[in-house]
Amino acid sequence: MDDLSFLDKALPKTKEPPKEDLSFLDTALPKNDLSFLDQALPQANNSDAHKRQALERGAKLLGINPVDYATAISYESAGTFDPWVKGPVTKWGQHRGTIQYGEPQRKKYGVHPKQSFEDQVTNSNVRYLKDAGVKPGMTFAQIYSAINGGSVNKDPNTQDWNTGRTIADNIRKADKEHRPKVLQRFFNG
């Protein structure tokens, strides 16, 4: 066997390999914005499991029941949960998104065609609903009044000029038609 002890003197002794400086990553990746993952993993991020997690996070940020939140989104998006789904044209222009933003509201809350479902339900919707008065523990009727009427305090008898239904009619319809589907699809109901 060859004597290689001379290498002990020639090589520096270290306990750990030198650490590589990765601080450049701090500026390369946006903080708290994981939307870049949506492009990288589009199919995984569109699964019902992923949507359920996003709905639960959004509801937690608002302090509301996730089934109520998902029911409102299901009703407003006609069951598609599509963050760019097309809705009616009103005095606010073409409505789009999971809670049907008018054009000025889309601009204010950052709703755009490439926005992920997760970003919309955990960011844009949360900011909109808080601005409309949604607080922790609020009921489905209050949450939906904020969406359909712009305020948790909107009179439920206010009529929607586009459909002729009142906010209260929409609440009953969402509860009857969409809540069971939401429970079955996302919450093992």
Side-chain angles (χ1 to χ4, degrees), residues 129-187:
L129 291 169
K130 283 183 177 182
D131 286 352
V134 171
K135 304 252 186 286
M138 287 198 158
T139 65
F140 177 67
Q142 292 169 309
I143 297 161
Y144 192 76
S145 291
I147 293 168
N148 194 205
S151 169
V152 295
N153 298 316
K154 190 75 169 187
D155 180 355
N157 295 314
T158 302
Q159 200 168 37
D160 182 330
W161 73 271
N162 192 43
T163 65
R165 290 189 301 264
T166 65
I167 292 173
D169 292 335
N170 287 331
I171 290 167
R172 283 189 290 275
K173 189 172 168 88
D175 228 13
K176 181 180 177 185
E177 296 176 11
H178 288 264
R179 185 175 298 272
K181 292 175 187 175
V182 161
L183 286 167
Q184 184 177 15
R185 182 174 175 181
F186 296 111
F187 300 98

Side-chain angles (χ1 to χ4, degrees), residues 5 12 18 49 51 60-62 66 69 79 95 97 107-108 116 133-134 151 159 163 185:
S5 60
K51 285 180 178 168
K60 185 175 182 177
L61 290 166
L62 289 161
Y69 189 44
H95 286 245
K107 185 175 181 179
K108 181 175 180 180
S116 69
V134 171
S151 169
Q159 200 168 37
T163 65
R185 182 174 175 181

Side-chain angles (χ1 to χ4, degrees), residues 28-95:
L29 297 175
K31 294 194 186 320
N32 299 323
D33 178 13
L34 301 178
S35 62
F36 69 93
L37 290 174
D38 291 334
Q39 286 87 31
L41 304 167
Q43 290 183 343
N45 288 344
N46 284 324
S47 71
D48 281 353
H50 178 79
K51 285 180 178 168
R52 176 186 172 159
Q53 290 172 349
L55 290 162
E56 288 175 337
R57 277 195 302 278
K60 185 175 182 177
L61 290 166
L62 289 161
I64 60 175
N65 181 317
V67 175
D68 289 344
Y69 189 44
T71 299
I73 288 171
S74 179
Y75 185 67
E76 286 294 293
S77 71
T80 67
F81 293 84
D82 179 345
W84 196 244
V85 68
K86 193 176 191 180
V89 176
T90 70
K91 67 181 180 179
W92 303 112
Q94 178 68 63
H95 286 245

Side-chain angles (χ1 to χ4, degrees), residues 8-39:
D8 291 339
K9 294 177 187 169
L11 295 174
K13 292 184 182 182
T14 60
K15 292 183 181 178
E16 304 177 14
K19 293 188 179 182
E20 190 173 343
D21 180 18
L22 300 177
S23 62
F24 69 93
L25 289 176
D26 292 339
T27 56
L29 297 175
K31 294 194 186 320
N32 299 323
D33 178 13
L34 301 178
S35 62
F36 69 93
L37 290 174
D38 291 334
Q39 286 87 31

